[in-house]
Amino acid sequence: MAETTPAPGRSGAAPTRWVWLAAWPVTAVFVLSNAATPLYVLWQRDIGFSRGTLTVVFACYIAGLLGSLLVSGVAADRLGRRPVLLPALAVAVTACLVFATASSVAALVVARLCTGIAVGAVVSAGMAAVTDVAGPGRDRLAALLASCAMVSGAGLGPLLAGVLSETLPAPTVTVFAVEAVLLATAVLVVWRMPLPRAAATASGGSWVRVPRVPRGDGWRLALGVAVFAPGITATSFVLSLGPSLLAGLLGTANRVVAGLTAFVMFAAATGVQFAARGLRRHAVLAAGAASTTLGMASLAVAVHTASVPALVAAALLAGAGQGMGQLGGLSLLNSSVPPSRLAEANAAFNVGGYVPAGLLPVASGYLSDAVGLTTGATAFAAVLAALAVAGGVCVLLRRSVAAGPSPRDGRARGGGRPIGKAGRS
């Protein structure tokens, strides 16, 4: 069913509190996306599986996400945001139930697939819905909230899981019961959200397809993905094998420590977006590529010297790299993509980032099983650093067209829109 709520005009714009509330479903689903991270060591102990299998379980989330992105962006642009978000939240609740009762690798695979499907719908429809509710004149606030809702939720999930699993009974159950309650509140928000009608000019063609951007915007997509993909791949590695690295370096499997490491990583991704919002797009992207490169250098140092501070530095730099890559890449797209294609453009951007984020950590996990965690992590760091450097070089070569006036200039189109501006969708 398409949206039926009229879009608020300038004289009847939704209250600012609704712009903040509209970001809550994004946060709630992303809490689930990484809530299992500190618990994998428990499932490994109880079920019994290798690091390679662990990275496959982790990557099933990305498989579900990519499958969801094949349809959710187009559906959200044609039907509206609510008809996509409500089913996505139902799938997320299902994932909570499967996680809470998991007793096999197959159950973990199903739970991760369901999580990925829900997240795929949220990164396309949910982030566009925030801009819909904000309306004209509050695009900068909407863009910042939508982007930060994603990374803050991703960081809160493992911290919540780590604390609850260490302090309350049933460590692999309690966090998902709490998350189900959070998702229920997100359902209420989506149900009441003052969303506009679906755009009558939404794109035609197949409902299930690889998401794409309008003709002429391909270079913007490629430039953003060149920085965002290495950044999110770095954070994916820390999420999937970070607890194993911490256990080896510290000699402990304390889940609060693992959850706190992930939280700090995504806190950096959130904070850096506020700090970088006054910079030009090419500067944000170049800084993101540099941050990811330095993060991989720190990772190599950590595994060779058994240095916990170096591992924490790697997590912080990886988070900053993802945050700046995400903000700069979305800003490039949003400077020209029309409202009726925004959700699909978001989907295309995330496909470009999540494909390597799924493949490279899996390869690293199996390599670590074969040659040891130190060698596997070092090889991963070298490959990803090379990709980040290549992305940074592409940005610098294209900076004359990627650059725009400072966000405070507030001009429209032609590369002059504020960084992080999401556009009307």
Side-chain angles (χ1 to χ4, degrees):
M1 180 179 67
E3 303 288 359
T4 56
T5 306
R10 288 185 181 272
S11 59
T16 301
R17 70 176 183 274
W18 264 113
V19 186
W20 287 81
L21 281 172
W24 171 241
V26 178
T27 301
V29 172
F30 270 92
V31 167
L32 174 64
S33 70
N34 293 330
T37 297
L39 306 178
Y40 286 130
V41 291
L42 294 178
W43 284 312
Q44 277 186 292
R45 181 196 67 195
D46 297 339
I47 301 173
F49 50 85
S50 68
R51 283 191 293 265
T53 301
L54 170 59
T55 55
V56 169
V57 170
F58 183 84
C60 284
Y61 155 79
I62 296 178
L65 184 149
L66 293 175
S68 176
L69 290 175
L70 295 179
V71 65
S72 59
V74 175
D77 283 335
R78 294 184 183 180
L79 301 178
R81 316 312 185 197
R82 198 173 356 250
V84 173
L85 288 174
L86 289 176
L89 291 168
V91 172
V93 172
T94 301
C96 288
L97 295 175
V98 178
F99 267 131
T101 58
S103 59
S104 66
V105 171
L108 294 177
V109 166
V110 170
R112 290 292 285 171
L113 280 170
C114 289
T115 302
I117 291 169
V119 169
V122 163
V123 296
S124 53
M127 297 176 78
V130 179
T131 305
D132 285 347
V133 173
R138 292 185 293 190
D139 297 312
R140 289 178 61 188
L141 173 64
L144 194 60
L145 289 179
S147 185
C148 289
M150 174 181 169
V151 289
S152 62
L156 286 171
L159 179 63
L160 183 67
V163 171
L164 293 181
S165 66
E166 287 284 359
T167 59
L168 296 177
T172 59
V173 175
T174 307
V175 64
F176 297 109
V178 172
E179 169 62 3
V181 174
L182 299 181
L183 291 168
T185 65
V187 169
L188 294 177
V189 169
V190 172
W191 190 263
R192 298 283 298 170
M193 200 183 293
L195 289 165
R197 299 178 186 274
T201 57
S203 60
S206 173
W207 283 79
V208 180
R209 68 188 187 203
V210 175
R212 59 198 181 197
V213 294
R215 186 180 301 275
D217 288 318
W219 72 266
R220 294 182 175 86
L221 175 64
L223 208 60
V225 168
V227 177
F228 174 60
I232 197 169
T233 303
T235 58
S236 295
F237 177 84
V238 174
L239 287 170
S240 59
L241 289 182
S244 297
L245 284 170
L246 282 171
L249 295 177
L250 294 176
T252 177
N254 186 286
R255 294 180 293 280
V256 175
V257 175
L260 185 60
T261 301
F263 173 78
V264 168
M265 179 172 66
F266 285 108
T270 303
V272 77
Q273 293 186 61
F274 283 93
R277 59 180 174 168
L279 300 178
R280 295 173 184 267
R281 298 184 189 100
H282 78 281
V284 173
L285 288 169
S291 183
T292 301
T293 303
L294 291 173
M296 293 304 94
S298 295
L299 177 63
V301 170
V303 297
H304 282 280
T305 64
S307 170
V308 174
L311 182 59
V312 173
L316 287 170
L317 289 164
Q322 177 186 335
M324 287 187 282
Q326 178 179 309
L327 183 63
L330 288 175
S331 174
L332 274 181
L333 287 178
N334 295 334
S335 67
S336 63
V337 174
S340 62
R341 298 290 301 277
L342 182 59
E344 187 178 2
N346 287 344
F349 180 69
N350 281 279
V351 166
Y354 276 104
V355 167
L359 295 178
L360 290 180
V362 169
S364 177
Y366 277 107
L367 181 62
S368 297
D369 284 336
V371 300
L373 189 55
T374 298
T375 303
T378 302
F380 172 86
V383 170
L384 205 60
L387 291 175
V389 168
V393 169
C394 289
V395 170
L396 294 177
L397 291 176
R398 195 76 196 242
R399 64 183 176 181
S400 61
V401 289
S406 165
R408 296 182 178 86
D409 291 347
R411 299 190 190 99
R413 283 203 181 267
R417 285 191 177 188
I419 193 92
K421 178 174 170 58
R424 184 88 176 117
S425 60

